[in-house]
Amino acid sequence: MSLQADDRGVSEVLGFVIVFGLIVASVGSVYAFGVGELRDVRDFERVNNAERAFEVFADNVADVSRRGAPSRGTELKLADSTLGYGEATVNVTVDTTPATEGDVNNSTGDVSLSPVVMALQDAGEVRYASGAVLRTDGGGPPRMVHEPDFVFGEDGAVVQLVRSVPRGTTRVGGERIARIRTVESGRSTLLTRSETNATLRIDVNSSYAPAWGDYLTSEGFACDPYTDASTTVSCDLEDVSRVTVVRVTLRTTFE
């Protein structure tokens, strides 16, 4: 009887050790693999939420820059992110072939866009630049998720470059609701040509240059070779009948 009692005691101890070991192994596996996956999902959703907010911002800016609204305000939930400005320039050039006597290439020169940027720490970044919304996910390549209000068609090309000019503070962050107020402060035609055999060339200098290259390629441009790490891209569109390039200057205020 005493031996049988001892056997039962050993069995209970072994059972407890086995179950406890399984629990520890399961918790360790979840911590090692599941927590990282959950963090990635959380970060991806943070960028998605920022992208949706910036699409609303882009539509509000279009109300001011294209539809004549006096001003617009857009609210963005920062959620431990930072709102500020980035750097990007665009140069639009029109070449005629063959060039007429005394003709020179028309160019806008480098137009600074001062993109509005939301940086979400290691999760990624979302930015607005001249009507376009672009994003990165962690260390992934830049992508354009909302196209600019450019027109490339049989009747010619219309390029509206929207430049953001900061007023007041240029950087806000933390856990708060930020508001971006946008007011038009100027509009000018930088370039207009009506030759039937013109070549339109667009040069973009930006950390998001590959995304611009992908967009221009989809619009029928032929681009010089570039990679996901390129900071410049140059693209040509041949046989353009008319070209108009307008610069709209917007005063943006972080509230």
Side-chain angles (χ1 to χ4, degrees):
M1 293 294 294
S2 61
L3 291 176
Q4 292 177 353
D6 291 342
D7 289 343
R8 285 196 299 269
V10 171
S11 298
E12 291 175 358
V13 172
L14 288 175
F16 173 79
V17 171
I18 292 172
V19 171
F20 184 77
L22 290 173
I23 293 173
V24 171
S26 300
V27 172
S29 298
V30 170
Y31 183 80
F33 302 104
V35 172
E37 293 293 331
L38 290 174
R39 186 182 298 111
D40 292 342
V41 171
R42 180 204 62 187
D43 290 345
F44 186 76
E45 284 305 313
R46 288 180 65 198
V47 181
N48 282 344
N49 292 335
E51 176 189 325
R52 287 189 285 267
F54 266 65
E55 287 179 343
V56 173
F57 174 61
D59 190 59
N60 287 340
V61 171
D63 285 344
V64 177
S65 62
R66 293 197 296 113
R67 306 182 188 112
S71 67
R72 284 289 185 269
T74 308
E75 290 186 346
L76 298 94
K77 185 176 182 180
L78 296 184
D80 199 26
S81 57
T82 303
L83 193 64
Y85 295 90
E87 296 182 358
T89 60
V90 175
N91 188 327
V92 182
T93 304
V94 176
D95 295 337
T96 58
T97 305
T100 59
E101 184 177 354
D103 188 24
V104 295
N105 294 340
N106 278 347
S107 173
T108 62
D110 290 338
V111 178
S112 176
L113 303 181
S114 297
V116 178
V117 179
M118 178 181 282
L120 297 97
Q121 298 182 354
D122 295 335
E125 182 182 274
V126 180
R127 63 171 52 191
Y128 168 89
S130 193
V133 176
L134 308 103
R135 66 179 280 177
T136 55
D137 304 317
R143 295 185 289 127
M144 183 179 291
V145 294
H146 181 89
E147 296 180 351
D149 299 321
F150 298 169
V151 178
F152 305 110
E154 295 180 357
D155 295 332
V158 178
V159 179
Q160 179 175 271
L161 300 176
V162 180
R163 181 184 179 219
S164 303
V165 177
R167 180 182 181 184
T169 182
T170 59
R171 186 182 180 89
V172 294
E175 295 283 348
R176 54 170 290 192
I177 301 293
R179 184 179 180 88
I180 308 177
R181 180 159 297 280
T182 307
V183 180
E184 181 178 330
S185 61
R187 180 184 298 264
S188 59
T189 300
L190 300 180
L191 189 156
T192 179
R193 293 294 291 266
S194 58
E195 282 76 6
T196 58
N197 56 352
T199 296
L200 175 64
R201 185 175 185 84
I202 297 181
D203 299 301
V204 181
N205 188 340
S206 166
S207 58
Y208 284 74
W212 284 98
D214 293 344
Y215 160 69
L216 292 171
T217 299
S218 71
E219 291 290 340
F221 282 73
C223 299
D224 294 343
Y226 62 90
T227 68
D228 288 343
S230 297
T231 57
T232 60
V233 65
S234 299
C235 303
D236 292 342
L237 182 64
E238 296 182 353
D239 298 326
V240 182
S241 58
R242 287 184 295 275
V243 177
T244 300
V245 182
V246 178
R247 179 180 60 195
V248 179
T249 303
L250 301 179
R251 187 172 66 247
T252 53
T253 307
F254 295 158
E255 300 174 349

